Amino acid sequence: MAENIREITLETLLAIEREKRYSSRLIKDVLDKYDYLGVRDKRFIKRVTEGTLERRQELDYYLDHFSSHPVKKMKPFVRNLLRISVYQLLFMDSVPDSAVCNEACKLAVRHGFGSLRGFVNGILRNLSRNKDNLPLPDEAKKPLSYLSVKYSMPEWLVRRFLEEYGQEITKTMLEELMRIHPVSMRFRSGLDRGEQDEITHRLKEKGIILRESPYLPSVRLMEHSENIGELPGFQEGKWTVQDVSSALAVELAGIKSTDFVMDVCAAPGGKSIFAAEKAETVLSRDVSEEKADLIRENISRMRIKNIKVQTWDAVCFDEAREAKADVVLLDVPCSGLGVMGKKRDIKYRVTPEGMENLSALQREIVRVCSRYVKPGGTLLYSTCTVSIAENEEMVRFLTGELGFAPLPFETELPEPLYKQKQETEALRSREGKDLKLTDEERRACIQLFPGFMEADGFFIARFKR
């Protein structure tokens, strides 16, 4: 393993910390910049960067145990150098421990931290000798700390999950969020089975493992997929990247071929595109020109002609559109707690205060955009989070304050998903974590939990005006 590969990885983590950018975007930029590197090297950069971010809480706990100097007081370079090294020692058997320690010391010297070479070497060698017997907080005495370290999740989030969903759902969800998640692809509507099978065959020839979603036949779960843009059928618009939960939201909206649909927080455009495959016309909006351009790019690739894209702030009411839409798709900005398994730094960015501010923003967006639904029309509310304030409480807001009627869809759910919904609701009830919704409201929404459902953590609710 060339030394500069570890250096690129370290520089990537420092940039994420320094620039406050989301890791998925920055990692993509780094891999594009170093596109000349071999597949093995790029996989190393991606895995160590993502793994170190995902396991940061756990790695820092071990470092604090073996270091006389607290992690939070270390220089950013030294802190991240130790983190990537400990990640390699604990989670990458293919990398010899001696190589990890030696390369860490070389990087410390090369970046002006030669005086700390012994410090770095001592921590890593000591941890390496004890890695089969690493300490964890006592589960009986400190259950919050135990779950926080074991699943590398901030304590306040663990506490919140336990309070809202109970012990069993929380532990299952935390376990699932630590696993590697496949990429979801959706075939374009109208693509016959023969074309789907042909693309599937070509993808498998590329070494990609594909599995059909148990919820929607047009969705496949892909493993070992890299360089999405170069895969067969993607640039031709025969399939797109879209989680099954997002596609399911569009399916449950009940869009008809004569409908006018508004998607008011639309980027990157997955729901707009799927809706356009069903509707007469779609108006797709988002807050910035950058996001609007992303929607246009995906529309162009998918060869969709019946979508109009606009830059529009969802909190600003558009009088010309009042009561005009047959269906409004309302996937509001959210805390993103349901996709932490894919966007690993969300858990370190979200705060209780930030979530309160988001809830206020969501209510304002819902208050404004619900007015676009025509009498008898449908509002489909969704988020990619697991948070009562952003989900079930919004159901009560729509029915109680805005006068929308819940539109039950339990009987329209795929059978496996319907059974999983019943299971998780029973678990919550058993632990005293009931939804606090009317029966009709409960049947008009679903919280998808990682580990119970084969999808992102996602919430869907349907209403009629």
Side-chain angles (χ1 to χ4, degrees):
M1 177 70 64
E3 290 178 21
N4 70 314
I5 302 304
R6 288 186 173 87
E7 193 160 19
I8 292 169
T9 304
L10 181 55
E11 289 170 352
T12 303
L13 283 165
L14 285 167
I16 291 169
E17 190 173 296
R18 181 177 61 250
E19 299 175 20
K20 307 297 183 185
R21 291 176 61 192
Y22 278 109
S23 60
S24 55
R25 297 175 186 174
L26 202 146
I27 291 169
K28 181 182 182 302
D29 290 346
V30 168
L31 295 178
D32 287 344
K33 178 180 177 181
Y34 295 100
D35 192 49
Y36 58 84
L37 293 172
V39 171
R40 179 171 172 268
D41 287 344
K42 287 194 284 189
R43 282 179 177 169
F44 178 90
I45 293 169
K46 188 173 188 291
R47 178 179 173 184
V48 176
T49 303
E50 292 180 343
T52 301
L53 284 170
E54 185 171 56
R55 299 271 184 176
R56 194 179 84 185
Q57 191 96 359
E58 181 183 7
L59 300 176
D60 286 1
Y61 180 82
Y62 297 141
L63 283 170
D64 277 336
H65 181 80
F66 288 101
S67 171
S68 58
H69 193 65
V71 172
K72 64 181 179 181
K73 293 186 177 180
M74 294 177 184
K75 297 284 187 183
F77 178 88
V78 176
R79 179 169 60 236
N80 283 287
L81 173 61
L82 287 169
R83 283 171 176 166
I84 68 167
S85 301
V86 174
Y87 179 80
Q88 292 170 74
L89 289 173
L90 299 183
F91 302 107
M92 297 183 72
D93 294 336
S94 60
V95 183
D97 289 4
S98 57
V100 174
C101 298
N102 291 337
E103 298 304 336
C105 290
K106 289 178 184 178
L107 278 172
V109 171
R110 188 153 64 244
H111 284 264
F113 292 93
S115 62
L116 295 178
R117 177 174 181 166
F119 173 75
V120 169
N121 188 59
I123 291 173
L124 296 180
R125 298 284 180 186
N126 195 7
L127 196 146
S128 174
R129 287 192 296 270
N130 292 279
K131 68 179 181 179
D132 294 326
N133 191 30
L134 291 172
L136 276 174
D138 189 296
E139 185 175 9
K141 295 178 180 178
K142 296 182 176 180
L144 273 179
S145 296
Y146 172 81
L147 291 172
S148 173
V149 174
K150 182 175 176 63
Y151 299 111
S152 206
M153 185 70 63
E155 263 192 40
W156 76 269
L157 271 176
V158 176
R159 182 184 297 108
R160 193 182 189 107
F161 290 149
L162 287 169
E163 289 172 351
E164 295 192 353
Y165 304 117
Q167 187 82 12
E168 187 166 346
I169 286 179
T170 295
K171 289 186 75 171
T172 301
M173 184 164 59
L174 292 176
E175 286 175 3
E176 180 63 23
L177 289 171
M178 295 295 289
R179 295 194 177 100
I180 296 173
H181 294 84
V183 173
S184 293
M185 62 172 284
R186 181 186 65 80
F187 285 114
R188 186 180 65 208
S189 301
L191 208 64
D192 64 40
R193 191 71 194 195
E195 289 179 288
Q196 292 185 23
D197 290 344
E198 190 265 337
I199 292 170
T200 298
H201 176 71
R202 290 168 63 195
L203 289 170
K204 288 180 177 178
E205 286 183 329
K206 296 281 186 181
I208 294 170
I209 298 172
L210 287 133
R211 181 167 53 88
E212 188 171 305
S213 165
Y215 308 143
L216 291 177
S218 62
V219 174
R220 301 287 187 278
L221 305 176
M222 300 195 299
E223 296 181 33
H224 307 310
S225 57
E226 295 171 353
N227 299 322
I228 293 289
E230 299 175 11
L231 294 180
F234 183 78
Q235 294 299 339
E236 296 88 345
K238 294 185 177 181
W239 60 271
T240 190
V241 175
Q242 184 175 26
D243 190 77
V244 67
S245 54
S246 171
L248 186 66
V250 179
E251 286 283 6
L252 291 174
I255 298 168
K256 301 185 291 294
S257 61
T258 56
D259 281 349
F260 166 56
V261 177
M262 287 184 67
D263 188 359
V264 297
C265 302
K271 291 186 188 66
S272 291
I273 290 167
F274 195 15
E277 293 171 7
K278 299 172 175 293
E280 183 174 349
T281 55
V282 174
L283 177 59
S284 182
R285 291 175 163 177
D286 218 307
V287 69
S288 68
E289 195 60 31
E290 179 184 6
K291 289 188 174 184
D293 284 342
L294 182 58
I295 298 169
R296 292 185 185 101
E297 179 183 322
N298 285 318
I299 289 171
S300 175
R301 181 179 55 78
M302 292 295 289
R303 278 73 164 170
I304 302 294
K305 304 297 184 184
N306 58 330
I307 301 180
K308 181 179 181 180
V309 181
Q310 292 180 342
T311 302
W312 194 280
D313 190 337
V315 299
C316 298
F317 181 60
D318 182 0
E319 291 184 11
R321 299 293 177 182
E322 184 165 17
K324 292 293 196 298
D326 298 287
V327 176
V328 170
L329 301 177
L330 197 48
D331 191 327
V332 295
C334 71
S335 57
L337 302 181
V339 293
M340 289 187 289
K342 294 177 179 176
K343 299 180 179 180
R344 293 155 181 84
D345 43 351
I346 284 177
K347 57 188 172 185
Y348 302 118
R349 292 175 180 268
V350 69
T351 64
E353 299 76 21
M355 289 182 68
E356 285 184 19
N357 292 336
L358 265 175
S359 293
L361 173 63
Q362 289 163 350
R363 286 180 180 242
E364 185 59 27
I365 291 174
V366 169
R367 191 186 300 276
V368 169
C369 296
S370 62
R371 295 172 64 183
Y372 301 140
V373 184
K374 64 170 55 173
T378 300
L379 187 149
L380 197 292
Y381 177 86
S382 61
T383 70
C384 57
T385 195
V386 280
S387 164
I388 287 177
E390 299 175 74
N391 295 337
E392 284 95 340
E393 287 185 9
M394 192 63 72
V395 172
R396 291 200 294 269
F397 175 68
L398 272 154
T399 58
E401 293 192 35
L402 300 185
F404 276 72
L407 194 55
F409 53 60
E410 273 192 347
T411 57
E412 300 168 39
L413 292 173
E415 186 177 352
L417 189 56
Y418 174 63
K419 290 180 178 178
Q420 289 156 355
K421 180 178 190 286
Q422 289 182 310
E423 177 189 0
T424 53
E425 288 178 359
L427 283 173
R428 293 174 73 174
S429 180
R430 237 183 350 256
E431 295 196 39
K433 311 296 181 182
D434 289 309
L435 300 180
K436 298 183 176 62
L437 300 174
T438 67
D439 186 59
E440 194 172 42
E441 287 170 343
R442 181 190 59 76
R443 290 187 292 112
C445 67
I446 180 171
Q447 176 68 70
L448 282 73
F449 289 101
F452 290 92
M453 286 81 167
E454 292 192 52
D456 288 338
F458 206 84
F459 182 81
I460 304 170
R462 190 173 72 178
F463 307 87
K464 180 179 180 179
R465 185 175 185 182

